[in-house]
Structure formats: C-alpha cells, structure tokens
Amino acid sequence: MAIGQQCTSVPNIRDLSEALPTIKAGRVLRCSNPALASAADMRLLLEEFGIRELVDLRSTEELSEDKNSSLFESARLTRFSRSWWSGQTFSQDLTVSTSVVSTGNNGSSSSSSSSRGSSISGTSSSGSSSSGGSSTNGSSSNTSSSSSTSYTLGQSVSLVRTQVSLLERSRFYLALAYKLPVTRTVPALLLSGISRAWSRGILIKDVNDGGLRLLYEILLDSAMPEIAQVLELVLLALEGGRPIMFFCKAGKDRTGLVAALILTCCNASEEEIVTDYARSNAFKMVALAGIEKRPELAGLDKSRFEGSPPEAMEGALAYAKLRYGSLGQYMQKAGFTAEKQKRLDLLAGRHGHGAASPNASTSKGVGDSSVSGSSSKALGEEEQSVLDETTRILSTRVCGSPAVDGGSSFTGLCPPVFKSPAVDGYAHVLPKCLEQSPTAQWWSAYYKGGGKQQDLVVHIEKRSDYDGLAVFWGIKNTKNSSAECGAQCLAHQPGIIKGPYENLPCNAFAFCPEDVCFEPDAHTHTKGDCWLKFTEGPVMPEVNMRGDLPDSFRSRHAKAPKTVQWESGVLLPPGVPLRNGTWGPRWLW
C-alpha cells in the first residue's frame, strides 16, 4: 500500500520509489507541510518508516505559521542561511530546549527537559508537548493534529529538522528584476515613489504571465547554494542509512524541483520526472513562501500558481537545458558534483547501502584520499544518535561568522563581526571565543575522554583551498605530500607553538604541491608549504578556492591560475562525513 493511503493526515505525501522503481522504498519521501501529522501517522513515519531527517524547504515566515506541532516540537531544529556579504551558507542550531514527552498506555503524559531537543520517547495525542495533563481524544484530519490514539516508542529516537529556505522575498524580487527587461523594471522603480499601486501594476502582469514557469526559473537561478545543501543533506542521510523526508508548504513547487533533481541523480527520464510532479496537480494551493500575502502582489492571479500542471515542470526542464545544459550540469554548477550524484544514485537504489564505512565521504569524491580510518560496522540507534550529534557540533560556527547573531549565547564573548578569520589578518577573531566554540569544546572533551588525535580520519580534497586560523605557520614548514601534511596535523597538540591560538587543536590543513601556489594574500607560497589550521565547523569547511577558477575571479587576480593548485583537508571522527562546505570570504576578494 502506498504511503499516501496510510498516512492520511499529511497531504501530498509519497515515496520517490513510486516515481522510479529502481529507488528503494522507504529511503526518500516527499510531502507537504507535515506539522499537523496525527499521532497515528507520527508512529507510522517514525517507527515503521524510520524517518530521522526532515528537510524543511519553507521560508522563516512560513515556519511561524506552525502551531502545536508534536512532530516539530519533538525535533531538533537547524537552519541553513545565506550570508549576503559572502554568498556562503552557514548552519545554526536553533534548538534551545524542548520537552521530551512520554505517553503511557493510560494516556497520561510526563515530560522532562532536553537541551538537545531530539530525543522522543512518545507523543501526546493532543499534538503538543506539555509538562503535565492527559491526552485528549479527537478525530484525525488534514487540519487537526489530534488523534484518537497515542503511542509510545520503545527507545529514544534522534529526529532532526533542517530548514533550508529555497524561496525568500528579497531573493525573489532580485531574481525577478534580473529576469525582466529594464523597460519594465525602471518604470516600476520610478513609479514606486509616486504610486505603489501603479508600480505594482507594472510588475504584477509579468508575474502573472510567467506563472509557475517563471517561479521555477527564479528558484533554479536564485537558490543554487540552498539546493546544493538540500542535496548534501539527502546524500548524508542515505550514507547514514537514515530515511529522509523533505517538504515545503504545498509539497509541489519547491518540493517538486528537489524531487526532480534527486530523480535526475537516479537516472529518471524526463517523462518520469514530469509524471511524478503532475501527481500533485490535484493539490490546489498557492505557496510562494508567504510572498503571495504581501500587498505588492495584491493583483496576483492565484489560478496561475495552483496545482502542478505537467507543462510547468516541462518548462523548468527546458530552461535548465537552455541555461545550464541539463539538470545534472546545473547541480554541478551549484556544487553538487557528478561524483556525488552517482553516489546518491547508488545509495538510493535497491542495492545501495549507507553507513557501511566511516570513510564513506572520502570514497564519494569529497576527499581524494584517507590517511587513516577504522573498520566498518553497522550502527545501532544510540550510536547513530551520538554520531548525529557529533556531526551537528562539528558543523556549527559561532566565532567570526554570520552565525553570531543577537540570539547567540556567544554574543557577549564574540560580538557580531560578520567576517571570517581570513579577513584583515584575523583581527576580528577573538581567541577566547574560538577556545569556547562548539568545535574546540568537542576536541577538549575528546581529549579528556581518552581520545587520540591519531585516531581521527584525514579527508583530503585536491584542487582546493580551505580557510582557517594558522596554529602552525606554513611557510618553510615543508612536507613532501598532502598526506604528510595531514599526518603532521594528526600529530599536532595544543600548546606546541606559543601564540594567540596555542590552545587550539589542528583540525584542517592546506598543502602546496607545486612550485608556487596562488593565494590572494601578501605571502609567496612555494612547493611543500604545509599550513596547519583550526577551523570551526570542519564538517563544512570554508572553501576559499576550488577546482577551475572562473573568469570573474581571475579578472580580479592577474596571477591566479586556471585551476587551484592547493590540496586541503580536515580531520574528523570516524563516521562523520565531510560535506561540500561553504564559500569562504577570499572567494570574493
């Protein structure tokens, strides 16, 4: 029986295996907003389907609409946001505390506070996590989170919801302005000072005429970093053997594009992609990330944005071919490489296996070699939960990055600087902040617990330059290879070299394998230079340069080569994968 027939309180839900039989059932699911899933359907999703990862494609404005969602209240929330000054994405854990609710057979509820916010012992049938009281009976429907039954999970479950917004108001209008001819945008801008109604009247006609076709073009063009992050999350879940479910508000537009990209990785035909998309046509809803409610779109023809007619996806595929060559080439341009696409296909398929080896990230093309590792083993629920938490900690940045904001617990220690260690010679980075960052604290706890630096896994990526703070100066620190450089990083201990960062471990490095390696700084970097670094969030390193350098970069730097010369790497615990990373600030110098 299809999941849509079983999970009745989550509209527009289906398994991607229904679109492509070569995908194994239960690995990747798509749906509309599941906030109001009933207790019965939560049990179905979490226990029977084993969902552990939720990817929320909605905007922050849309998230505010969720009320009394047992599913979301039970999950740890992480957000990927984009920095406007650098264009990079960064992750931020938004979970402060949640209630862990245990619902017994008698319907009574008890709760305890959890700082992790990801341990579910059960869910009250009222659909909210409360500190006391009893469950109430009610009917299950699309518009209510109540259910006539409650359930209790046999063991703790790690549930993570990651928000990666594909459509935001500001990005939408910037992309729209880029799409329209100046003969439309200039008059609209000039008229905005006289009459906003007249100004809106000019643009709304183009929005209505473009309909879903224009919306999908804007999503493809303006949300490249976010789309790459979503695909990384899907790949990471598959590698860990964890079923994943992604969704937006209606489950047809943003969700439909992501599904098309995943299906493309799995070698689906255009006909199969369009057929899967068109299954949402009966689900009539306008879902433009809340933009449709704004006064500037008061004249929006909602009929042009409801449903999912086949020609809308056909138009998106045609546009991807015209501008990028294909959806596969689009993903490569976004940073999701051909190697990762092949690995996603392998792991999503009926014969794919996730989490078989702690070195999976090196074998999927993120890193080119591994200096050390450990034997593979299957992970139990508790071990997987620890691994997930470790991955989260080592993906987090709080110092010298946009992740430091008004809500950060590091605000007093680390003032918001919206910069990176590479800017202004590290002048904006406070050593004390770095020492108390989640990454440094993890390393400290690792040492105290008897962990050895030598037991970590070295991931190396050729033709790349990772950012970080130098804990051991690289000039005249000569090595024969990036593997030797990684081995020195493994052997490095805090306190070896005196200086402002002496208390920090080495968890990243950069090696120069050629006679001269270009870097947009004041130094001359020559063959053998081995820089030992500390970086926050080594799971997602800041990448200063990678692969072939575009003309836009080389036009700013006359000495820049066609292809990056550096080889870089990070140290990670066994089983923690290296992700695609984010662009560092030097990329924009």
Side-chain angles (χ1 to χ4, degrees):
M1 182 184 295
I3 187 173
Q5 297 174 283
Q6 304 175 66
C7 191
T8 57
S9 66
V10 181
N12 206 17
I13 185 171
R14 57 186 178 271
D15 195 314
L16 280 194
S17 66
E18 298 173 34
L20 193 65
T22 55
I23 296 177
K24 185 175 180 179
R27 288 193 173 170
V28 185
L29 278 63
R30 55 171 291 180
C31 63
S32 64
N33 180 14
L36 299 182
S38 66
D41 286 343
M42 284 180 64
R43 181 197 300 116
L44 177 72
L45 292 171
L46 299 180
E47 290 191 51
E48 296 187 30
F49 279 85
I51 295 296
R52 297 294 178 268
E53 308 272 349
L54 303 173
V55 181
D56 194 332
L57 307 176
R58 297 176 300 156
S59 67
T60 302
E61 181 175 338
E62 289 174 297
L63 262 62
S64 65
E65 300 173 359
D66 298 331
K67 306 294 182 184
N68 298 324
S69 171
S70 294
L71 183 66
F72 291 165
E73 288 173 1
S74 301
R76 189 183 70 235
L77 175 61
T78 300
R79 173 179 297 157
F80 275 94
S81 302
R82 192 195 309 186
S83 165
W84 278 104
W85 69 272
S86 70
Q88 70 181 24
T89 56
F90 59 91
S91 63
Q92 189 175 10
D93 193 333
L94 302 181
T95 302
V96 178
S97 63
T98 64
S99 295
V100 178
V101 183
S102 177
T103 306
N105 295 330
N106 61 359
S108 62
S109 301
S110 62
S111 72
S112 60
S113 178
S114 168
S115 60
R116 288 182 57 194
S118 59
S119 176
I120 307 172
S121 297
T123 306
S124 65
S125 60
S126 63
S128 63
S129 297
S130 58
S131 57
S134 60
S135 61
T136 58
N137 293 333
S139 60
S140 173
S141 69
N142 288 0
T143 58
S144 173
S145 61
S146 60
S147 172
S148 59
T149 59
S150 60
Y151 76 99
T152 301
L153 291 177
Q155 56 182 334
S156 294
V157 171
S158 175
L159 182 64
V160 179
R161 176 166 64 120
T162 304
Q163 183 206 6
V164 189
S165 174
L166 300 193
L167 185 61
E168 293 287 344
R169 184 187 182 201
S170 54
R171 289 208 308 263
F172 174 81
Y173 286 121
L174 282 174
L176 178 63
Y178 178 80
K179 285 280 184 188
L180 301 182
V182 293
T183 54
R184 310 286 290 176
T185 55
V186 171
L189 182 63
L190 294 175
L191 282 174
S192 63
I194 302 173
S195 170
R196 291 187 176 181
W198 291 353
S199 177
R200 289 197 300 266
I202 292 177
L203 295 181
I204 196 65
K205 182 179 184 303
D206 294 287
V207 173
N208 286 333
D209 289 346
L212 289 175
R213 174 191 57 78
L214 177 62
L215 173 64
Y216 296 167
E217 291 180 11
I218 286 176
L219 284 171
L220 287 170
D221 291 344
S222 66
M224 267 193 174
E226 289 75 18
I227 285 174
Q229 291 291 358
V230 171
L231 295 172
E232 289 282 348
L233 290 168
V234 173
L235 179 57
L236 184 65
L238 291 172
E239 287 179 330
R242 302 184 302 279
I244 188 169
M245 185 167 74
F246 61 94
F247 60 91
C248 57
K249 183 174 182 177
K252 65 182 187 70
D253 300 322
R254 290 161 286 186
T255 298
L257 276 181
V258 170
L261 292 167
I262 296 173
L263 290 171
T264 297
C265 291
C266 298
N267 299 304
S269 67
E270 289 191 4
E271 181 181 357
E272 288 168 321
I273 291 172
V274 172
T275 299
D276 177 65
Y277 166 80
R279 288 184 61 185
S280 299
N281 197 34
F283 194 69
K284 304 295 184 182
M285 178 183 288
V286 178
L288 303 180
I291 303 171
E292 71 275 10
K293 302 176 183 178
R294 297 283 181 172
E296 61 265 25
L297 290 185
L300 185 72
D301 183 356
K302 294 185 178 181
S303 66
R304 302 297 302 272
F305 296 89
E306 293 177 335
S308 54
E311 56 269 22
M313 180 54 69
E314 291 170 349
L317 297 176
Y319 177 76
K321 281 185 182 178
L322 178 65
R323 178 155 190 185
Y324 302 102
S326 67
L327 278 184
Q329 290 174 277
Y330 168 83
M331 287 186 277
Q332 291 185 56
K333 185 175 179 62
F336 197 71
T337 65
E339 290 80 6
K340 292 180 181 180
Q341 294 175 42
K342 291 177 183 178
R343 183 150 181 83
L344 191 152
D345 176 30
L346 173 67
L347 294 172
R350 291 186 176 275
H351 302 292
H353 300 282
S357 169
N359 293 321
S361 61
T362 59
S363 63
K364 71 185 172 103
V366 176
D368 291 291
S369 64
S370 176
V371 176
S372 64
S374 60
S375 60
S376 62
K377 66 172 184 175
L379 297 181
E381 188 74 44
E382 185 176 349
E383 291 173 305
Q384 188 63 59
S385 179
V386 172
L387 185 62
D388 291 344
E389 180 69 3
T390 302
T391 301
R392 180 193 68 81
I393 292 171
L394 298 182
S395 300
T396 303
R397 296 191 189 102
V398 296
C399 305
S401 86
V404 182
D405 62 13
S408 170
S409 61
F410 284 77
T411 300
L413 185 61
C414 316
V417 294
F418 298 95
K419 292 187 181 293
S420 160
V423 179
D424 297 338
Y426 312 136
H428 297 279
V429 180
L430 300 178
K432 195 67 176 176
C433 181
L434 290 166
E435 292 170 14
Q436 296 188 27
S437 67
T439 297
Q441 289 295 300
W442 182 91
W443 245 265
S444 177
Y446 176 72
Y447 290 145
K448 291 178 180 178
K452 298 178 180 179
Q453 187 89 338
Q454 289 82 357
D455 292 336
L456 300 174
V457 178
V458 180
H459 300 258
I460 299 174
E461 181 183 359
K462 295 180 179 179
R463 304 301 177 190
S464 66
D465 175 31
Y466 291 176
D467 195 26
L469 292 136
V471 297
F472 196 103
W473 200 249
I475 295 176
K476 296 185 179 180
N477 178 37
T478 306
K479 301 298 173 186
N480 292 317
S481 66
S482 55
E484 281 192 16
C485 188
Q488 185 184 11
C489 188
L490 279 173
H492 182 84
Q493 293 292 327
I496 291 179
I497 300 297
K498 298 300 180 183
Y501 309 117
E502 62 183 281
N503 294 324
L504 296 172
C506 176
N507 63 3
F509 56 92
F511 171 77
C512 175
E514 301 185 16
D515 290 340
V516 176
C517 291
F518 170 78
E519 184 74 31
D521 60 17
H523 304 292
T524 299
H525 303 275
T526 57
K527 189 170 185 175
D529 281 2
C530 171
W531 291 81
L532 305 187
K533 304 180 179 184
F534 171 81
T535 182
E536 284 194 276
V539 166
M540 298 189 63
E542 283 193 300
V543 181
N544 292 327
M545 298 180 290
R546 171 180 279 155
D548 293 336
L549 295 172
D551 292 340
S552 58
F553 185 93
R554 297 175 70 196
S555 66
R556 300 195 304 271
H557 304 284
K559 296 183 179 180
K562 183 177 180 180
T563 303
V564 176
Q565 298 135 324
W566 292 91
E567 297 178 3
S568 297
V570 293
L571 310 186
L572 295 172
V576 173
L578 173 63
R579 293 179 180 173
N580 197 48
T582 60
W583 287 118
R586 294 192 186 199
W587 179 247
L588 298 178
W589 284 10

